[in-house]
Amino acid sequence: IPNLNGNLARNAGIMPSTFFNDIRIARSFKLYENIQLQGIMDVFNIINKYNVQSVNPLWNTAGVPTAAWDPRQFQFALRLTW
């Protein structure tokens, strides 16, 4: 068996930790007796952490991020019920 000396570090293909934190804030307003308006705000990835989705599995660039999850996003909505 030939001597195989690789330079790939142990656990090089393991991805870094992922942390998601989302929040929803909602408020209801009664307009009439049976009509209600609700304002909604959703925030995704509040702290805007760089979350790695995928890493390169090839031996020469193992562990290098190739894709990431979305950065901080806001979503607003109005809901009318009657």
Side-chain angles (χ1 to χ4, degrees):
I1 297 177
N3 190 5
L4 299 175
N5 291 327
N7 60 357
L8 187 61
R10 182 182 175 124
N11 297 329
I14 294 179
M15 296 191 311
S17 63
T18 302
F19 183 72
F20 290 104
N21 46 6
D22 305 332
I23 191 169
R24 170 178 273 197
I25 299 172
R27 172 79 193 258
S28 295
F29 302 98
K30 191 170 188 175
L31 301 178
Y32 294 106
E33 183 176 321
N34 58 350
I35 298 177
Q36 189 174 7
L37 180 68
Q38 185 178 24
I40 304 167
M41 180 183 77
D42 293 324
V43 183
F44 306 102
N45 194 7
I46 296 170
I47 61 173
N48 206 22
K49 181 182 181 297
Y50 178 71
N51 289 314
V52 175
Q53 184 178 8
S54 179
V55 294
N56 193 344
L58 300 177
W59 66 272
N60 57 350
T61 56
V64 175
T66 57
W69 295 103
D70 292 329
R72 181 184 307 136
Q73 294 181 345
F74 293 91
Q75 176 176 303
F76 300 96
L78 290 175
R79 181 184 203 180
L80 183 65
T81 55
W82 65 90

